[in-house]
Amino acid sequence: MIKKQYEFSLWLRLTHWVRVIAIIILTFTGFYIAFPFISPALNQAEPNNYLYALMRSWHIIFGFVLICVTIGKFYLFIFDKQSKVERDSFWDFISVKMWFKQIKYYMLIGSHGHLKGAYNPLQFMAYTGVYGALIFICITGLILHIHVYHEGLGGVLYDILRPLEIMMGGLAFVRELHHICMWIFIIFLPIHIYLAIFNSVYGKSGAMDSIISGYKWEDDKK
């Protein structure tokens, strides 16, 4: 019997889409900061058009937005009652039986197993890696931030993050690591979209819709 099941809470869905928007804007502005590929239009009325400064400001704004929603997501994962379905995914992750079922499903030679949580083992492993990358890119971003803004939050974090910067090999290498980390999200995004559509269409469970509506369809006979 097919049943409608509430899977993702409003706050979880909200943090997901804010994170998506932030990552897209940060990727675009980050590329521009590294290599300014657009020349601003200049005229007599506006002899200076500070496009580079504008890109930097948007990068900083959405960088802190990303940090905030990442902290919020970790809070939801650990403490939110409605996020228990995410925490239960850990039991599917350590299940050898579920690993075999999921691999067979993606190879189109088996059906999707009945999950205890929201994510199958491969999803849980991928998301764990992505959130690890999120933490790393936020920390490296803050290290770069403190060398430009020496007062306020930058001044508070300077002495805290400097030892970490030295451990990473210096400011130039931190910038390189920050850039490399960005490619994790660039590579992850199309794969994530493809598999989400694949699960939604092939699995007929409404998995793609659940991140918008919060609901998916579950066959309780599995």
Side-chain angles (χ1 to χ4, degrees), residues 151-200:
E151 297 182 355
L153 182 61
V156 172
L157 294 176
Y158 187 85
D159 290 334
I160 299 171
L161 295 177
R162 272 288 288 165
L164 193 57
E165 174 196 330
I166 294 167
M167 287 173 59
M168 290 184 183
L171 188 61
F173 198 59
V174 168
R175 184 177 288 106
E176 202 61 37
L177 291 172
H178 189 74
H179 183 82
I180 291 170
C181 205
M182 174 196 65
W183 280 98
I184 294 174
F185 298 101
I186 293 174
I187 294 168
F188 170 77
L189 187 61
I191 297 172
H192 176 59
I193 293 171
Y194 168 76
L195 289 177
I197 295 172
F198 174 86
N199 281 324
S200 189

Side-chain angles (χ1 to χ4, degrees), residues 129-146:
V130 165
Y131 280 107
L134 267 175
I135 294 170
F136 190 77
I137 205 167
C138 288
I139 291 173
T140 54
L142 285 172
I143 292 173
L144 296 173
H145 178 79
I146 64 174

Side-chain angles (χ1 to χ4, degrees), residues 64-100:
F64 280 107
V65 168
L66 183 64
I67 290 170
C68 290
V69 294
T70 301
I71 293 171
K73 179 62 178 70
F74 277 106
Y75 174 84
L76 290 174
F77 183 81
I78 296 169
F79 298 108
D80 182 37
K81 184 179 178 181
Q82 289 182 313
S83 296
K84 183 179 182 297
V85 66
E86 283 196 294
R87 295 191 291 271
D88 288 343
S89 301
F90 176 75
W91 304 112
D92 294 315
F93 175 70
I94 62 175
S95 169
V96 176
K97 180 180 177 182
M98 282 307 306
W99 271 98
F100 277 109

